Amino acid sequence: MRVNLLGPVELVSAGGEAVRLGAAKRRTVLAALALELNRVVSGDRLLDLVWDGSPPPQAKAALQGHIAQLRKVLADGVALVTRSPGYVLTGERADVDVFRFEDLLATARDAPDEDAVRLLRDALALWRGPVLADVPGDHLREAVSARLEELRLVAVQELATRLTRLDRAAEAVSGLRDAVEANPLREALVARLVLALHWSGRQAEALAVYHRTRERLADELGVDPGPELREAYQTVLAGDTAPTPAVDRAPAQLPREHRGFVGREEELSDLGAALIGQDSAIGLLVGPAGVGKTALALRWAHGVAADFPDGQLFVNLRGFDETEPLDPRTALIGFLRAFGLTDSQIAVDLEGQAAQYRSLLAGRRVLVFLDNARSAEQVRPLLPGSPRCLVLVTSRHRLDDLVVTEGASSLHVPTLPESSAEDLLTALLGRQRIEQEPEAVAELVELCDRLPLALRIAGARLASRPRWTIQSLVDELRDEQGRLAALSLPEAGRGVHAALAVSYRELPEGAARLFRRLGLHPGTDLDSYAAAALLDINVVSARTHLRTLAYANLLHESTPDRYSRHDLVRLFTHHLAATESDVDNQVAANRLLDYYLHVADRARAHLSDHVRPFGPIEHRPASFPELASHAAALDWFTLEEANLGLALDIAVNSGQRERTWQLALCLDAFHFRRGNRLDRLALCRIGLAATRSLGDRHAQATFLLRLGSTLADLGRIDEAIKACTRAAALSDGDRHLELAALANLGYCLMADDQLDRAQETILEALEVAREVGDNRSQASIQNNLANVLLRKHRPEEALRHATEALGLFPSAPSKAHTATLHTVGAASQQLGRADEALESYRAGLALAARLGDRYQEALCHRAIGDVLEQSEGPAAARPHWLAALQLYRDLRLADADDLARKLGLAS
C-alpha cells in the first residue's frame, strides 16, 4: 500500500487501486502522518494542522474518528499506531512518494549520467500536480510545499545537465519549458532552457526566450539578467556548437588546524561516539571564551572530512565578536555560492535561501561547521534537511534550544588537564626550555587557569623573549591586579580580558549587574542565596541571573544551585566591580558578610551547647537556606567553609570588629565539631583580638574559654590554665560563664595530670551546674570527672559517673555525648570487660561519624583497634588503626606520629 502526496492525496492498494478516503480532513490527517513517517506526531500538532490552527471544541473527537477510519483501510505494511503523545504512521520510505522522490534524487546525485537520467525521470514522474493539491486549509501545505517544489526544480535542472552531457539536450527542452512557465523569473532554469534550445539547433527560440525573460525582469523587478543567463546568451551569439564540460568541485572550506593542538583525546572520542553513524547529527561544542572549542572542532572535522565527499562548509558566525553577529542570510549566500549558484539565482529572503540550501544539500553528504554561534535562531536556518549531512556548532552559550528542538548532542569543553596544558607550552617553547623550570611551568599553567587562549598568549610572550625565564613571567602574573593585562595582546585587541568583555556586554542587565557584584565575592564558588544577598533580591530572581551567566559559560553550575568560576573570570569581575561606586560596593559587601553571618549563626545553634544568639544584624537577608537539623548545619558549614574563612578575612582587614568575632565564633563551633585544633587556635586568637578592641568582656571570656580548651588539647597546659583563669575573672557574676570557666579549668588541670586539683575544680563546676539546672553541662562535667577517676585507676567509680552522664544528655546528640561513650568504653576496658568496651566504642564511633566529629572518630577507631589487638591479634586491629591514622593526619595532630610508629609506617 502506498501514500501519494505529490499531487492530490491518494492511498493506493498493493494492486494499484485507489482507496476511497472519504472526508477531506481525513486526507489531511493521512498526509500529516505520512510526511512524518515512523515518527510520532502529537495530537495537538494534528489538531493544529487539520483545522488550520483553529480547532473547534469537537475537533479532538473528530480526529479520533478519522484515525479509526484510516486504520480500517490501511494494510500491506502501512499501519497507524497510537504512541504517546499522539500517533505514528509506520512503513517503508518507499511507501510514500515524497520519500521515494527524495531517495531517487539522492541516488542520482552520485550516479553516472545514463543512470542518473533514468533515476531523475522516475523521480519527476511521481509528480501528479502541486503538492497536497486537494488538502483543505493552508497550514500543512505551506509547511512542506516550498521545500518540495524547490527539490522538483533541482531535479529538472539536474536532468537537463545530465542530458546535455550525453549530447541529448533536445530531450530536456520540454521539461525545462514547463518549469520556466511556472517559474519565469528563475534565471537558472531559463539559462538551461536557452542552452538546451541552442544545442538542439533552435537558436531563434533560445534568443526569444532570453529577450522575453530580460524584458520581464526589467518590468517586474527593475533588474538586468544575472551573470549565468547573460553567459548563456553569449554562448548562443557565439554560435558554440557543443557544451563546455561541467566541472563539479565540492566545496572544501575548513580552515587549517591550529598549530600546537594537544590532548583532547577524551573529547574527540566523545564526539565520534555521539555523531558518527547518526542521521542528521548535530554536534554542539560549548564552553567559556578561550577554552579551545574551535581548535577541537577543527581537529575532529579534519579527521572525518574524507567521509563527506560532497563538501565541507565553514562559516564564522561572529556571535561574540566586537561587531554584530553574522546575519544567517549572509552565511546562506556564501554556502549557496560555494555550490555554484550565482547571485541572480539566489532567493532574496531568508526563507527562500534556506529552502534553496536544503534543496542543494538534499541527498548529499556534507559537513557543515558553524563556528561561534550566538543563538539557536542564528543556527537553525543553516541546518541541512538531508539526514546524510553532519553539523558542528561551537558557542560560548549552551544553546539548550538546539538540544531540545533539534536533537543536538552537547559537549562541554573544559579547560585543559595539567599535562596537556604543559604539552601546549612545550609545543610553543620547546622541551629544553620547559624542562629547565618545571616548577615555574606548573605554576604558569595554573595562573593561566589551564585555558588554551591564556596559555598561548603566555607562550607567545616567552617565545618572543628568549632571554626571559619562565619564572619571570610567573612573578608578573602573580600580581592579580595586572594578570589580565599580561594575558592580552593589546595591539591585536585579543586576549582573555577582551574575550570576557564581549561575553559580558551581551548579558541582560540583571545578570550583568550580578556579574559585576561577583567581583565583591571573595571565593570561587557561591550559591543562589549568596548571590541574592549581593543584589538584595529574592533567591528566585538570583537563580534566574545565575542560570543566564551559566548559559553564557561565565559561570559553571558545579552542583545543583552552586556555581563556580575560573580564577581569570574572578579577576575580570574584580575589574568590573571597581567601576561601581565605593559606597554601593561597601553596602553590597556588608550585605554579603551579614548573609554569611546570619546563616552561620543559625547553623551554630545546631552544633553548640548554650548558644547565645547574636544581636540584630544590619542587613538581614531576604532569602536564606533553612537549616532544620544538625546534619544540615554541618553540611552547610562544610560547603561554605572556604567562603566563611574569606568573609572573615574581609571583616578583619576592613576593621569590622563585631562581624569579625561573630564570624570567628561561628567557624570555631564548626571546627570544634570537626576536631580541627590548629584552625580553632587561629580563630580564637582572631576573635579574642576583636573582642578586646571592642571592650566586650563577655565575648572575651567566651573566646578565652575556647582558647583554653584548644590549648589543652594541644598539650600547652600552662597557657590553657591562664586563659581559663582570665575567663573566670571576666564572668562578672554570670553563673553560666563561671560554670564554663570552672569546667574548662578542670579539663586543663586533668590534661596536666594535676588530678587532685582537677577533681576538686570539676566537683565545684558540677555544683554550679546543678544550681543553675544545666543538665547538659552536668553530663559533660560528669564525663570529665570519670576521666580523672580513670587516670587515678578507679574504673568502677569512673564507669558509674560516665554511665550517670549518659542518662543526663538530652535526645539531641552532642560531641560530649560521643566523648562519654568513649569514656564508658575505656572504663569497661580497664575492668577487663572487652565485649562491653567494644560495644561502647562502636556506639561512640557511629555517633561521631553521624556528627562529623573526626577527632572522636579517630579516638574510637584507635580504641577499637587496641581492644581487638588483645582479643584477636594485630591483623584485626590494623584496619581501625589505619583509619585513626588517616584522621589524625587530616587533623594535623601529633598523635599520628605515635600511631604510625606502632603500625610500622613512620617516615
Side-chain angles (χ1 to χ4, degrees):
M1 182 162 273
R2 302 192 311 274
V3 180
N4 294 332
L5 308 175
L6 300 176
V9 176
E10 289 183 343
L11 183 62
V12 182
S13 70
E17 298 175 356
V19 177
R20 187 174 180 279
L21 290 172
K25 291 195 183 303
R26 197 166 303 151
R27 294 196 296 275
T28 309
V29 174
L30 177 62
L33 292 168
L35 285 166
E36 298 289 340
L37 187 70
N38 297 319
R39 290 189 293 192
V40 177
V41 182
S42 71
D44 289 343
R45 175 70 174 150
L46 281 173
L47 290 170
D48 183 70
L49 290 171
V50 174
W51 277 272
D52 243 16
S54 301
Q58 69 275 18
K60 188 172 183 180
L63 175 62
Q64 292 170 346
H66 291 313
I67 294 290
Q69 291 302 314
L70 286 172
R71 283 178 172 150
K72 291 179 181 179
V73 297
L74 290 170
D76 299 322
V78 178
L80 207 170
V81 181
T82 300
R83 190 172 298 161
S84 180
Y87 306 93
V88 58
L89 189 71
T90 63
E92 301 294 328
R93 284 179 64 86
D95 295 331
V96 180
D97 62 352
V98 167
F99 301 120
R100 287 206 306 281
F101 171 73
E102 290 179 350
D103 292 345
L104 286 167
L105 202 59
T107 305
R109 163 74 184 163
D110 299 319
D113 289 338
E114 288 282 3
D115 293 339
V117 167
R118 175 179 52 80
L119 291 166
L120 289 165
R121 281 179 167 163
D122 288 347
L124 289 167
L126 294 172
W127 286 77
R128 299 166 291 106
V131 178
L132 307 178
D134 60 347
V135 165
D138 298 324
H139 271 38
L140 183 59
R141 186 164 41 253
E142 289 175 353
V144 299
S145 61
R147 183 181 71 87
L148 291 172
E149 288 292 345
E150 181 67 29
L151 281 179
R152 182 183 190 180
L153 295 178
V154 169
V156 172
Q157 292 175 193
E158 183 70 9
L159 178 59
T161 299
R162 298 304 188 103
L163 287 169
T164 300
R165 288 180 187 173
L166 294 170
D167 199 20
R168 294 161 54 186
E171 297 177 35
V173 169
S174 177
L176 284 169
R177 195 184 294 279
D178 291 343
V180 167
E181 285 181 6
N183 302 272
L185 299 181
R186 187 176 178 111
E187 294 185 53
L189 278 174
V190 177
R192 281 170 173 76
L193 176 57
V194 168
L195 291 173
L197 289 167
H198 167 62
W199 286 318
S200 303
R202 300 157 66 176
Q203 283 77 12
E205 292 181 65
L207 291 171
V209 169
Y210 171 78
H211 288 299
R212 186 165 59 246
T213 304
R214 179 179 58 80
E215 292 170 1
R216 192 160 186 172
L217 286 168
D219 291 342
E220 296 186 23
L221 301 179
V223 298
D224 293 326
E228 187 176 11
L229 184 51
R230 292 200 307 270
E231 186 178 335
Y233 174 59
Q234 292 300 324
T235 299
V236 177
L237 293 179
D240 294 342
T241 57
T244 302
V247 178
D248 187 12
R249 286 198 183 95
Q253 298 182 342
L254 290 180
R256 69 182 181 88
E257 290 189 62
H258 289 193
R259 178 179 174 272
F261 182 89
V262 297
R264 300 298 195 191
E265 290 82 5
E266 183 178 347
E267 288 84 358
L268 290 168
S269 175
D270 289 345
L271 275 172
L275 303 179
I276 296 298
Q278 304 295 320
D279 287 346
S280 304
I282 302 173
L284 174 59
L285 286 77
V286 299
V291 82
K293 301 179 292 295
T294 300
L296 171 61
L298 275 176
R299 167 55 63 95
W300 191 83
H302 277 286
V304 300
D307 297 334
F308 297 89
D310 296 320
Q312 304 92 44
L313 299 172
F314 174 87
V315 65
N316 181 357
L317 294 174
R318 302 202 302 262
F320 305 95
D321 284 6
E322 296 287 345
T323 57
E324 285 295 311
L326 192 71
D327 191 310
R329 287 175 293 189
T330 305
L332 281 170
I333 289 171
F335 287 170
L336 294 171
R337 286 172 177 165
F339 278 100
L341 267 65
T342 63
D343 288 353
S344 62
Q345 294 173 285
I346 296 173
V348 176
D349 64 308
L350 175 63
E351 186 175 346
Q353 291 166 357
Q356 286 179 307
Y357 170 67
R358 291 191 297 269
S359 299
L360 276 173
L361 268 58
R364 303 191 194 210
R365 186 159 176 77
V366 176
L367 172 63
V368 182
F369 187 161
L370 309 175
D371 196 27
N372 286 315
R374 171 75 177 280
S375 64
E377 289 70 27
Q378 189 186 26
V379 167
R380 198 167 279 114
L382 306 177
L383 299 177
S386 171
R388 303 179 67 200
C389 293
L390 184 146
V391 181
L392 280 181
V393 183
T394 69
S395 181
R396 295 183 197 178
H397 290 171
R398 289 204 311 248
L399 303 189
D400 296 337
D401 195 27
L402 286 182
V403 177
V404 174
T405 62
E406 307 295 341
S409 298
S410 182
L411 172 70
H412 178 77
V413 182
T415 55
L416 290 170
E418 183 180 356
S419 60
S420 294
E422 292 187 3
D423 288 344
L424 177 54
L425 288 175
T426 302
L428 296 169
L429 300 175
R431 184 163 299 282
Q432 181 179 0
R433 197 170 176 187
I434 293 295
E435 289 179 347
Q436 287 175 348
E437 300 181 77
E439 293 181 0
V441 169
E443 187 172 355
L444 177 59
V445 162
E446 294 309 315
L447 288 170
C448 291
D449 266 351
R450 292 180 279 115
L451 196 70
L453 175 62
L455 289 164
R456 287 183 180 278
I457 292 173
R461 292 190 64 195
L462 289 168
S464 63
R465 298 166 177 83
R467 295 182 181 276
W468 278 24
T469 63
I470 297 174
Q471 185 63 50
S472 63
L473 180 58
V474 166
D475 292 341
E476 181 182 347
L477 294 178
R478 282 176 178 164
D479 177 12
E480 291 193 348
Q481 299 298 318
R483 190 182 306 168
L484 285 175
L487 294 174
S488 297
L489 301 173
E491 66 278 8
R494 297 182 59 197
V496 178
H497 187 282
L500 292 172
V502 172
S503 294
Y504 163 69
R505 283 198 296 271
E506 301 302 329
L507 294 172
E509 174 51 33
R513 183 164 168 258
L514 174 58
F515 195 56
R516 294 193 297 273
R517 284 281 185 258
L518 289 181
L520 304 174
H521 192 284
T524 57
D525 71 337
L526 80 167
D527 64 7
S528 55
Y529 292 103
L534 278 169
L535 288 185
D536 196 22
I537 59 176
N538 64 58
V539 72
V540 175
S541 298
R543 283 178 181 143
T544 299
H545 298 327
L546 286 167
R547 288 166 185 158
T548 299
L549 295 174
Y551 181 83
N553 271 296
L554 291 167
L555 298 180
H556 172 62
E557 191 171 13
S558 49
T559 57
D561 200 35
R562 194 163 194 88
Y563 296 82
S564 61
R565 53 184 167 164
H566 293 298
D567 210 39
L568 293 174
V569 174
R570 179 181 63 82
L571 296 180
F572 183 70
T573 61
H574 286 180
H575 163 77
L576 294 176
T579 65
E580 302 279 276
S581 78
D582 291 342
V583 173
D584 288 346
N585 281 345
Q586 188 59 57
V587 170
N590 287 345
R591 280 200 306 266
L592 182 67
L593 291 181
D594 282 350
Y595 160 74
Y596 281 124
L597 182 57
H598 179 73
V599 184
D601 188 30
R602 293 168 65 87
R604 176 176 70 109
H606 289 288
L607 304 188
S608 300
D609 301 335
H610 306 300
V611 172
R612 181 179 179 180
F614 299 143
I617 57 177
E618 183 180 355
H619 304 284
R620 192 176 191 275
S623 303
F624 49 87
E626 294 294 336
L627 305 176
S629 66
H630 174 279
L634 199 61
D635 287 345
W636 184 84
F637 265 123
T638 302
L639 274 175
E640 298 292 356
E641 178 183 359
N643 285 333
L644 288 167
L646 293 168
L648 176 60
D649 290 342
I650 291 174
V652 171
N653 294 331
S654 57
Q656 301 185 56
R657 298 183 183 91
E658 188 84 11
R659 290 185 173 103
T660 293
W661 77 258
Q662 291 176 346
L663 281 168
L665 190 62
C666 292
L667 274 167
D668 179 67
F670 170 63
H671 288 302
F672 173 69
R673 180 51 50 88
R674 300 298 298 273
N676 295 346
R677 295 168 176 175
L678 294 177
D679 289 323
R680 289 196 68 205
L681 187 62
L683 287 164
C684 288
R685 285 174 171 162
I686 290 170
L688 188 57
T691 55
R692 280 175 176 162
S693 296
L694 289 168
D696 188 329
R697 293 170 63 84
H698 188 282
Q700 281 184 68
T702 300
F703 275 105
L704 283 166
L705 290 172
R706 290 177 175 270
L707 179 63
S709 64
T710 305
L711 288 168
D713 285 339
L714 291 170
R716 296 161 63 174
I717 305 303
D718 288 345
E719 296 174 73
I721 291 173
K722 288 178 183 177
C724 292
T725 303
R726 289 203 306 272
L730 292 168
S731 62
D732 293 335
D734 185 323
R735 296 290 277 167
H736 286 285
L737 199 56
E738 181 183 344
L739 166 61
L742 286 168
N744 275 23
L745 181 58
Y747 179 80
C748 294
L749 292 167
M750 177 180 63
D752 197 34
D753 271 339
Q754 298 184 48
L755 299 182
D756 289 339
R757 187 178 168 197
Q759 185 173 350
E760 179 183 338
T761 304
I762 289 170
L763 287 170
E764 184 180 352
L766 187 59
E767 286 302 316
V768 177
R770 286 169 175 160
E771 177 187 328
V772 298
D774 187 340
N775 283 352
R776 189 186 290 270
S777 292
Q778 283 186 62
S780 181
I781 294 167
Q782 287 264 43
N783 177 55
N784 285 345
L785 179 59
N787 277 286
V788 170
L789 294 168
L790 274 176
R791 294 192 182 199
K792 287 185 170 185
H793 305 289
R794 292 156 61 180
E796 287 281 6
E797 294 177 68
L799 182 60
R800 176 170 56 79
H801 282 288
T803 303
E804 186 176 338
L806 286 178
L808 289 169
F809 284 111
S811 57
S814 68
K815 182 182 177 77
H817 195 159
T818 306
T820 305
L821 285 168
H822 182 277
T823 305
V824 170
S828 300
Q829 190 176 357
Q830 275 196 24
L831 290 167
R833 303 171 187 172
D835 289 344
E836 294 176 25
L838 277 176
E839 182 181 356
S840 189
Y841 286 144
R842 283 172 172 154
L845 177 62
L847 183 56
R850 177 181 165 195
L851 295 176
D853 187 339
R854 292 185 295 168
Y855 179 63
Q856 287 295 335
E857 281 187 77
L859 291 182
C860 290
H861 269 302
R862 178 158 190 178
I864 291 169
D866 291 344
V867 175
L868 291 175
E869 181 190 27
Q870 295 297 319
S871 60
E872 300 179 28
R878 191 173 181 83
H880 287 282
W881 285 340
L882 286 170
L885 177 62
Q886 185 60 56
L887 288 163
Y888 283 147
R889 285 175 171 170
D890 289 347
L891 296 169
R892 297 171 289 168
L893 299 179
D895 310 61
D897 297 333
D898 173 61
L899 187 53
R901 283 191 292 271
K902 186 180 183 72
L903 284 161
L905 299 174
S907 57

